[in-house]
Amino acid sequence: MKILFELGHPAHVHVLKHTIWNLQKSGYETKIVARAREITPKLLEAYGFAYERLEKYNGLTNKTFGLFINNYKLFKIAKKFKPGIFVSVGSPHSAQVSTILRKAHISFGDTDVKKYTLYHLISSLTCPFSDVLCTPSCLISKINPKKHVKYEGYHELAYLHPNHFKPDPHTLDQLNLSNKDKFIIMRFAAWDAVHDIAHRGFKNNQERIEFVERLQTKCKIFVTSEVNIPELDKYKIPLAPEKIHHLLSFATMYIGEGATMASEAGVLGVPWIFVSSWGRGYLDDQEKNYGLGYTVSDSKEALRIALSLTENENLKNEWSEKRKKMLRDKIDVAKFMTEFIRRYPKSFHEYKNRKFKYS
Protein backbone atom coordinates (compact mmCIF):
# COMPACT_ATOMS: atom_id res chain seq x y z
CA MET A 1 0.00 0.00 0.00
CA LYS A 2 1.22 3.47 -0.91
CA ILE A 3 0.21 6.46 1.21
CA LEU A 4 0.66 10.13 0.31
CA PHE A 5 0.97 12.62 3.18
CA GLU A 6 0.45 16.32 2.53
CA LEU A 7 1.89 18.73 5.10
CA GLY A 8 0.85 22.39 4.97
CA HIS A 9 2.36 23.76 8.17
CA PRO A 10 5.45 23.08 10.34
CA ALA A 11 3.19 21.63 13.05
CA HIS A 12 1.94 19.01 10.60
CA VAL A 13 5.45 17.56 10.43
CA HIS A 14 5.29 16.88 14.16
CA VAL A 15 1.68 15.68 14.09
CA LEU A 16 2.29 13.03 11.44
CA LYS A 17 5.97 12.09 11.84
CA HIS A 18 5.43 9.13 14.18
CA THR A 19 2.56 7.84 12.08
CA ILE A 20 4.75 8.00 8.97
CA TRP A 21 7.61 6.21 10.74
CA ASN A 22 5.24 3.57 12.12
CA LEU A 23 3.78 2.86 8.69
CA GLN A 24 7.20 2.77 7.05
CA LYS A 25 8.34 0.20 9.62
CA SER A 26 5.27 -1.89 8.73
CA GLY A 27 6.29 -1.95 5.07
CA TYR A 28 4.13 0.84 3.67
CA GLU A 29 5.58 3.07 0.96
CA THR A 30 5.06 6.74 1.78
CA LYS A 31 5.39 10.01 -0.10
CA ILE A 32 5.51 13.41 1.61
CA VAL A 33 4.39 16.54 -0.18
CA ALA A 34 4.88 19.77 1.77
CA ARG A 35 4.23 23.46 1.38
CA ALA A 36 7.37 25.57 1.85
CA ARG A 37 6.08 27.43 4.88
CA GLU A 38 8.40 28.82 7.58
CA ILE A 39 10.61 26.07 8.99
CA THR A 40 8.82 23.12 7.38
CA PRO A 41 11.74 22.22 5.07
CA LYS A 42 14.25 22.40 7.96
CA LEU A 43 12.10 20.12 10.12
CA LEU A 44 11.65 17.57 7.35
CA GLU A 45 15.37 17.52 6.69
CA ALA A 46 16.17 17.27 10.42
CA TYR A 47 13.97 14.16 10.68
CA GLY A 48 15.42 12.62 7.53
CA PHE A 49 12.25 12.89 5.44
CA ALA A 50 12.47 13.20 1.67
CA TYR A 51 9.68 15.37 0.26
CA GLU A 52 8.31 17.10 -2.79
CA ARG A 53 7.40 20.75 -2.61
CA LEU A 54 4.24 22.78 -3.00
CA GLU A 55 4.32 26.57 -2.78
CA LYS A 56 2.96 28.83 -0.06
CA TYR A 57 0.88 31.80 -1.18
CA ASN A 58 0.09 34.93 0.84
CA GLY A 59 -3.00 37.12 0.48
CA LEU A 60 -6.50 36.17 -0.56
CA THR A 61 -5.96 36.61 -4.31
CA ASN A 62 -2.70 34.67 -4.32
CA LYS A 63 -4.20 31.92 -2.15
CA THR A 64 -7.04 31.54 -4.66
CA PHE A 65 -4.66 31.12 -7.59
CA GLY A 66 -2.42 28.96 -5.43
CA LEU A 67 -5.24 26.50 -4.82
CA PHE A 68 -5.35 25.62 -8.52
CA ILE A 69 -1.58 25.65 -8.98
CA ASN A 70 -0.90 23.38 -6.01
CA ASN A 71 -3.78 21.11 -6.99
CA TYR A 72 -2.14 20.64 -10.38
CA LYS A 73 1.29 20.00 -8.84
CA LEU A 74 -0.14 17.50 -6.37
CA PHE A 75 -2.10 15.79 -9.14
CA LYS A 76 1.09 15.25 -11.15
CA ILE A 77 2.96 13.91 -8.12
CA ALA A 78 0.12 11.58 -7.15
CA LYS A 79 -0.43 10.38 -10.70
CA LYS A 80 3.17 9.17 -10.76
CA PHE A 81 3.27 7.80 -7.18
CA LYS A 82 -0.16 6.09 -7.34
CA PRO A 83 -1.15 6.24 -3.64
CA GLY A 84 -4.03 4.19 -2.29
CA ILE A 85 -4.75 6.74 0.46
CA PHE A 86 -4.17 10.48 0.85
CA VAL A 87 -3.63 11.81 4.39
CA SER A 88 -3.60 15.47 5.37
CA VAL A 89 -4.48 17.89 8.14
CA GLY A 90 -7.56 19.31 6.47
CA SER A 91 -6.07 20.14 3.08
CA PRO A 92 -8.33 21.02 0.14
CA HIS A 93 -5.53 19.94 -2.23
CA SER A 94 -5.45 16.34 -1.02
CA ALA A 95 -9.22 16.25 -0.71
CA GLN A 96 -9.84 17.38 -4.28
CA VAL A 97 -7.00 15.54 -5.99
CA SER A 98 -7.89 12.28 -4.22
CA THR A 99 -11.45 12.66 -5.51
CA ILE A 100 -10.23 13.19 -9.07
CA LEU A 101 -8.08 10.07 -8.81
CA ARG A 102 -10.86 8.15 -7.02
CA LYS A 103 -8.74 7.43 -3.96
CA ALA A 104 -9.52 7.78 -0.26
CA HIS A 105 -8.68 10.92 1.70
CA ILE A 106 -8.38 10.85 5.50
CA SER A 107 -8.32 14.29 7.09
CA PHE A 108 -7.00 14.88 10.61
CA GLY A 109 -8.19 18.40 11.40
CA ASP A 110 -8.38 20.16 14.76
CA THR A 111 -9.71 23.65 14.06
CA ASP A 112 -13.32 24.67 14.68
CA VAL A 113 -15.01 26.18 11.64
CA LYS A 114 -16.85 29.46 12.09
CA LYS A 115 -19.52 30.26 9.53
CA TYR A 116 -19.08 33.15 7.10
CA THR A 117 -15.28 33.17 7.41
CA LEU A 118 -12.60 32.38 4.85
CA TYR A 119 -11.73 29.22 6.76
CA HIS A 120 -15.37 28.16 6.42
CA LEU A 121 -14.94 28.55 2.66
CA ILE A 122 -11.76 26.48 2.66
CA SER A 123 -13.51 23.84 4.77
CA SER A 124 -16.29 23.70 2.19
CA LEU A 125 -13.62 22.92 -0.40
CA THR A 126 -12.23 20.11 1.75
CA CYS A 127 -14.93 18.27 3.70
CA PRO A 128 -17.22 17.26 0.79
CA PHE A 129 -14.25 15.66 -0.99
CA SER A 130 -12.89 13.82 2.07
CA ASP A 131 -13.83 10.26 2.95
CA VAL A 132 -13.12 10.55 6.69
CA LEU A 133 -12.83 13.58 8.96
CA CYS A 134 -11.01 12.70 12.20
CA THR A 135 -11.05 15.37 14.90
CA PRO A 136 -10.54 15.74 18.65
CA SER A 137 -13.83 15.17 20.48
CA CYS A 138 -13.63 18.65 22.04
CA LEU A 139 -14.32 20.45 18.74
CA ILE A 140 -17.77 22.00 18.57
CA SER A 141 -18.10 22.33 14.79
CA LYS A 142 -20.92 20.39 13.18
CA ILE A 143 -19.42 17.83 10.80
CA ASN A 144 -21.12 15.33 8.54
CA PRO A 145 -21.79 12.42 10.95
CA LYS A 146 -21.43 9.91 8.11
CA LYS A 147 -17.78 10.89 7.77
CA HIS A 148 -16.88 12.13 11.25
CA VAL A 149 -14.65 10.22 13.66
CA LYS A 150 -13.99 11.71 17.11
CA TYR A 151 -11.14 10.72 19.40
CA GLU A 152 -10.16 11.72 22.94
CA GLY A 153 -7.00 13.68 22.37
CA TYR A 154 -5.22 16.63 20.79
CA HIS A 155 -2.91 16.79 17.78
CA GLU A 156 -0.04 17.58 20.12
CA LEU A 157 -0.44 14.17 21.80
CA ALA A 158 0.68 12.60 18.51
CA TYR A 159 4.23 13.72 19.27
CA LEU A 160 4.39 14.95 22.87
CA HIS A 161 2.66 12.00 24.52
CA PRO A 162 5.02 10.33 27.04
CA ASN A 163 5.18 7.30 24.73
CA HIS A 164 7.00 9.44 22.16
CA PHE A 165 8.66 12.35 23.94
CA LYS A 166 11.22 12.54 26.73
CA PRO A 167 12.53 16.04 27.59
CA ASP A 168 16.27 16.38 27.04
CA PRO A 169 17.89 18.43 29.83
CA HIS A 170 21.01 18.93 27.68
CA THR A 171 18.96 21.45 25.70
CA LEU A 172 19.23 23.76 28.71
CA ASP A 173 23.02 23.42 28.68
CA GLN A 174 23.12 24.87 25.16
CA LEU A 175 21.51 28.05 26.51
CA ASN A 176 23.47 28.19 29.77
CA LEU A 177 20.33 27.42 31.77
CA SER A 178 19.59 25.06 34.64
CA ASN A 179 16.29 23.34 35.42
CA LYS A 180 15.87 25.77 38.31
CA ASP A 181 15.97 28.88 36.11
CA LYS A 182 12.73 30.68 35.34
CA PHE A 183 12.13 31.57 31.73
CA ILE A 184 9.17 32.33 29.45
CA ILE A 185 8.76 31.41 25.80
CA MET A 186 6.74 33.83 23.68
CA ARG A 187 5.47 33.39 20.13
CA PHE A 188 4.16 36.09 17.83
CA ALA A 189 2.09 35.14 14.77
CA ALA A 190 1.85 36.66 11.31
CA TRP A 191 -1.92 36.02 11.27
CA ASP A 192 -1.77 35.04 7.60
CA ALA A 193 -3.07 31.47 7.88
CA VAL A 194 -6.53 30.87 6.43
CA HIS A 195 -8.09 30.34 9.86
CA ASP A 196 -6.38 33.51 11.22
CA ILE A 197 -7.82 36.03 8.78
CA ALA A 198 -10.00 38.67 10.55
CA HIS A 199 -8.55 37.69 13.94
CA ARG A 200 -5.81 39.30 16.01
CA GLY A 201 -3.78 38.95 19.19
CA PHE A 202 -1.50 41.81 20.19
CA LYS A 203 -2.53 45.07 18.52
CA ASN A 204 0.83 45.84 16.93
CA ASN A 205 4.58 45.33 17.25
CA GLN A 206 4.94 48.16 19.74
CA GLU A 207 2.55 46.42 22.09
CA ARG A 208 4.54 43.21 21.66
CA ILE A 209 7.81 45.01 22.45
CA GLU A 210 6.39 46.69 25.55
CA PHE A 211 4.96 43.38 26.78
CA VAL A 212 8.33 41.62 26.48
CA GLU A 213 10.21 44.48 28.13
CA ARG A 214 7.80 44.46 31.06
CA LEU A 215 8.11 40.70 31.60
CA GLN A 216 11.87 40.51 31.19
CA THR A 217 12.25 42.29 34.52
CA LYS A 218 10.78 39.16 36.14
CA CYS A 219 12.59 36.37 34.30
CA LYS A 220 14.44 35.47 31.13
CA ILE A 221 12.44 35.73 27.88
CA PHE A 222 12.81 33.78 24.64
CA VAL A 223 10.91 34.87 21.54
CA THR A 224 9.98 33.02 18.38
CA SER A 225 8.18 35.12 15.79
CA GLU A 226 6.66 34.82 12.32
CA VAL A 227 6.91 38.61 11.97
CA ASN A 228 10.10 40.65 11.81
CA ILE A 229 10.57 42.69 14.98
CA PRO A 230 14.23 43.90 15.05
CA GLU A 231 13.85 45.25 18.60
CA LEU A 232 13.26 41.70 19.83
CA ASP A 233 16.11 40.01 17.95
CA LYS A 234 18.12 39.73 21.17
CA TYR A 235 15.41 37.43 22.57
CA LYS A 236 15.51 34.95 19.67
CA ILE A 237 15.93 31.28 20.55
CA PRO A 238 19.37 30.06 19.39
CA LEU A 239 18.27 26.45 18.93
CA ALA A 240 17.58 24.12 16.03
CA PRO A 241 13.79 24.10 15.41
CA GLU A 242 13.44 20.40 16.26
CA LYS A 243 14.73 21.16 19.78
CA ILE A 244 12.03 23.69 20.68
CA HIS A 245 9.79 21.20 22.50
CA HIS A 246 12.62 20.18 24.80
CA LEU A 247 13.10 23.81 25.76
CA LEU A 248 9.35 24.34 26.12
CA SER A 249 9.05 21.41 28.52
CA PHE A 250 11.35 23.19 31.01
CA ALA A 251 9.76 26.66 30.60
CA THR A 252 8.02 28.50 33.41
CA MET A 253 5.21 29.35 31.02
CA TYR A 254 4.30 30.05 27.40
CA ILE A 255 2.63 33.26 26.23
CA GLY A 256 1.72 34.04 22.65
CA GLU A 257 -0.48 34.18 19.60
CA GLY A 258 0.31 30.63 18.49
CA ALA A 259 -2.46 28.21 19.45
CA THR A 260 -0.43 25.12 18.57
CA MET A 261 2.42 26.06 20.90
CA ALA A 262 -0.11 26.83 23.63
CA SER A 263 -1.51 23.32 23.31
CA GLU A 264 2.01 21.89 23.21
CA ALA A 265 2.75 23.67 26.47
CA GLY A 266 -0.43 22.29 27.99
CA VAL A 267 0.29 18.65 27.16
CA LEU A 268 3.80 19.12 28.58
CA GLY A 269 2.41 20.50 31.83
CA VAL A 270 3.54 24.09 31.22
CA PRO A 271 1.12 27.00 31.88
CA TRP A 272 0.03 28.84 28.75
CA ILE A 273 -1.60 32.18 27.96
CA PHE A 274 -3.07 32.37 24.46
CA VAL A 275 -3.58 35.97 23.27
CA SER A 276 -6.25 35.98 20.56
CA SER A 277 -9.65 37.38 19.64
CA TRP A 278 -10.69 33.84 18.75
CA GLY A 279 -10.27 30.75 20.93
CA ARG A 280 -9.78 27.12 19.92
CA GLY A 281 -11.85 24.11 20.95
CA TYR A 282 -8.84 22.12 22.11
CA LEU A 283 -7.53 25.04 24.19
CA ASP A 284 -10.99 25.56 25.69
CA ASP A 285 -10.91 21.90 26.70
CA GLN A 286 -7.50 22.27 28.35
CA GLU A 287 -8.58 25.43 30.16
CA LYS A 288 -12.05 24.41 31.34
CA ASN A 289 -11.49 20.74 32.13
CA TYR A 290 -7.89 20.73 33.32
CA GLY A 291 -6.95 24.34 34.19
CA LEU A 292 -3.83 24.16 32.05
CA GLY A 293 -4.02 27.66 30.56
CA TYR A 294 -5.85 30.87 29.76
CA THR A 295 -7.27 32.33 26.55
CA VAL A 296 -7.42 36.15 26.65
CA SER A 297 -8.08 38.80 24.02
CA ASP A 298 -6.38 41.65 25.85
CA SER A 299 -2.63 42.02 26.44
CA LYS A 300 -3.20 43.76 29.78
CA GLU A 301 -5.08 40.72 31.06
CA ALA A 302 -2.32 38.47 29.71
CA LEU A 303 0.29 40.50 31.58
CA ARG A 304 -1.72 40.40 34.81
CA ILE A 305 -2.01 36.61 34.67
CA ALA A 306 1.65 36.19 33.70
CA LEU A 307 2.90 38.30 36.59
CA SER A 308 0.68 36.36 38.98
CA LEU A 309 2.00 33.01 37.73
CA THR A 310 5.63 34.08 38.10
CA GLU A 311 4.96 34.62 41.82
CA ASN A 312 3.66 31.07 42.31
CA GLU A 313 6.53 29.02 43.78
CA ASN A 314 4.55 25.77 43.42
CA LEU A 315 3.68 26.35 39.76
CA LYS A 316 5.50 23.34 38.27
CA ASN A 317 4.04 20.89 40.79
CA GLU A 318 0.50 22.20 40.31
CA TRP A 319 0.71 21.94 36.52
CA SER A 320 2.33 18.52 36.72
CA GLU A 321 -0.75 17.23 38.56
CA LYS A 322 -3.07 18.88 36.03
CA ARG A 323 -1.14 17.22 33.22
CA LYS A 324 -1.44 13.80 34.87
CA LYS A 325 -5.22 14.20 35.01
CA MET A 326 -5.32 15.19 31.34
CA LEU A 327 -3.17 12.23 30.27
CA ARG A 328 -5.46 9.82 32.11
CA ASP A 329 -8.35 11.01 29.93
CA LYS A 330 -6.56 11.20 26.58
CA ILE A 331 -5.05 8.72 24.12
CA ASP A 332 -1.79 8.24 22.27
CA VAL A 333 -2.91 10.00 19.10
CA ALA A 334 -0.04 8.71 16.94
CA LYS A 335 -1.06 5.14 17.78
CA PHE A 336 -4.67 5.96 16.89
CA MET A 337 -3.69 7.55 13.56
CA THR A 338 -1.37 4.68 12.65
CA GLU A 339 -3.93 1.97 13.33
CA PHE A 340 -6.77 3.88 11.71
CA ILE A 341 -4.82 4.37 8.47
CA ARG A 342 -3.30 0.89 8.50
CA ARG A 343 -6.67 -0.82 8.83
CA TYR A 344 -8.75 1.59 6.73
CA PRO A 345 -11.55 1.20 5.59
CA LYS A 346 -12.23 -1.61 8.07
CA SER A 347 -11.25 0.69 10.95
CA PHE A 348 -13.85 3.27 9.92
CA HIS A 349 -16.70 0.75 9.84
CA GLU A 350 -15.54 -0.74 13.14
CA TYR A 351 -15.46 2.71 14.67
CA LYS A 352 -19.01 3.39 13.58
CA ASN A 353 -20.02 0.11 15.24
CA ARG A 354 -17.91 1.00 18.31
CA LYS A 355 -15.62 -1.98 17.80
CA PHE A 356 -12.44 -0.08 16.93
CA LYS A 357 -10.07 0.15 19.92
CA TYR A 358 -7.82 3.20 19.87
CA SER A 359 -6.89 3.88 23.48
Side-chain angles (χ1 to χ4, degrees):
M1 171 74 78
K2 295 182 177 181
I3 304 173
L4 187 148
F5 290 85
E6 186 199 340
L7 312 177
H9 186 280
H12 300 172
V13 180
H14 296 301
V15 171
L16 292 170
K17 65 184 180 184
H18 288 287
T19 298
I20 295 171
W21 284 327
N22 290 340
L23 290 169
Q24 288 175 340
K25 289 175 183 176
S26 297
Y28 289 81
E29 187 176 349
T30 63
K31 166 79 71 176
I32 296 174
V33 182
R35 266 171 281 170
R37 174 174 176 152
E38 300 173 51
I39 60 171
T40 301
K42 290 183 179 179
L43 285 174
L44 288 168
E45 290 163 9
Y47 292 126
F49 287 128
Y51 68 97
E52 296 202 41
R53 175 171 171 159
L54 298 180
E55 298 304 319
K56 176 184 181 293
Y57 295 90
N58 295 318
L60 181 57
T61 301
N62 289 335
K63 285 180 183 292
T64 302
F65 283 111
L67 176 66
F68 295 102
I69 294 171
N70 279 336
N71 273 7
Y72 178 63
K73 287 184 176 180
L74 184 61
F75 175 81
K76 289 201 299 182
I77 293 169
K79 191 74 173 174
K80 182 177 179 181
F81 180 62
K82 296 180 173 59
I85 299 175
F86 287 68
V87 177
S88 78
V89 183
S91 168
H93 308 301
S94 285
Q96 294 175 13
V97 172
S98 65
T99 299
I100 293 171
L101 295 176
R102 297 183 179 180
K103 301 298 180 181
H105 174 236
I106 302 174
S107 170
F108 292 101
D110 74 340
T111 303
D112 278 306
V113 180
K114 286 191 173 184
K115 287 186 176 182
Y116 315 118
T117 62
L118 181 58
Y119 190 64
H120 181 253
L121 173 61
I122 294 299
S123 180
S124 69
L125 297 174
T126 305
C127 295
F129 303 101
S130 299
D131 296 271
V132 185
L133 304 163
C134 296
T135 75
S137 60
C138 54
L139 265 62
I140 60 175
S141 297
K142 291 184 178 180
I143 298 175
N144 184 343
K146 293 181 180 180
K147 298 182 177 184
H148 194 192
V149 168
K150 298 179 182 180
Y151 60 88
E152 291 296 331
Y154 316 119
H155 271 185
E156 294 69 33
L157 286 169
Y159 53 100
L160 296 178
H161 189 281
N163 290 345
H164 307 295
F165 180 79
K166 299 291 185 293
D168 182 3
H170 294 299
T171 303
L172 296 175
D173 297 337
Q174 296 178 45
L175 300 176
N176 295 316
L177 295 170
S178 76
N179 58 11
K180 294 182 180 179
D181 289 329
K182 288 185 176 182
F183 64 92
I184 296 172
I185 294 180
M186 295 196 65
R187 178 168 176 78
F188 299 123
W191 297 95
D192 62 350
V194 169
H195 56 257
D196 289 332
I197 293 174
H199 300 289
R200 280 292 175 269
F202 288 89
K203 293 177 183 177
N204 49 48
N205 283 350
Q206 186 58 39
E207 188 173 69
R208 290 165 169 150
I209 293 168
E210 291 174 359
F211 192 96
V212 171
E213 290 179 344
R214 176 68 180 86
L215 266 186
Q216 65 88 25
T217 63
K218 289 292 183 180
C219 60
K220 191 172 184 64
I221 305 293
F222 291 105
V223 172
T224 172
S225 180
E226 294 177 351
V227 291
N228 182 33
I229 311 176
E231 293 87 345
L232 299 181
D233 283 350
K234 60 184 177 182
Y235 298 103
K236 283 184 177 179
I237 305 174
L239 275 180
E242 67 273 15
K243 297 291 186 180
I244 189 63
H245 299 124
H246 295 282
L247 182 64
L248 181 62
S249 67
F250 294 103
T252 304
M253 77 183 79
Y254 162 80
I255 306 169
E257 301 166 309
T260 296
M261 188 168 276
S263 186
E264 289 172 341
V267 302
L268 289 171
V270 175
W272 54 262
I273 302 172
F274 178 47
V275 185
S276 174
S277 59
W278 174 37
R280 301 289 192 276
Y282 50 90
L283 292 182
D284 290 345
D285 187 62
Q286 289 191 21
E287 180 174 359
K288 295 174 182 177
N289 294 321
Y290 305 104
L292 286 163
Y294 308 84
T295 296
V296 299
S297 58
D298 178 75
S299 65
K300 291 182 179 179
E301 178 66 4
L303 182 61
R304 184 193 68 78
I305 295 171
L307 292 174
S308 175
L309 291 175
T310 59
E311 300 297 325
N312 184 347
E313 295 300 326
N314 198 40
L315 193 65
K316 285 190 179 292
N317 289 333
E318 288 181 15
W319 256 256
S320 177
E321 291 303 311
K322 294 177 180 183
R323 177 180 185 247
K324 289 177 183 177
K325 179 183 177 183
M326 177 271 297
L327 288 174
R328 286 195 293 268
D329 293 343
K330 305 302 181 183
I331 66 169
D332 177 343
V333 175
K335 180 180 178 182
F336 161 68
M337 290 178 170
T338 300
E339 288 305 303
F340 194 90
I341 295 169
R342 188 176 66 83
R343 299 174 58 214
Y344 182 82
K346 185 178 180 180
S347 58
F348 178 74
H349 298 303
E350 287 178 343
Y351 173 84
K352 286 301 181 183
N353 293 321
R354 299 296 187 268
K355 294 181 180 179
F356 179 61
K357 304 295 184 183
Y358 57 82
S359 59

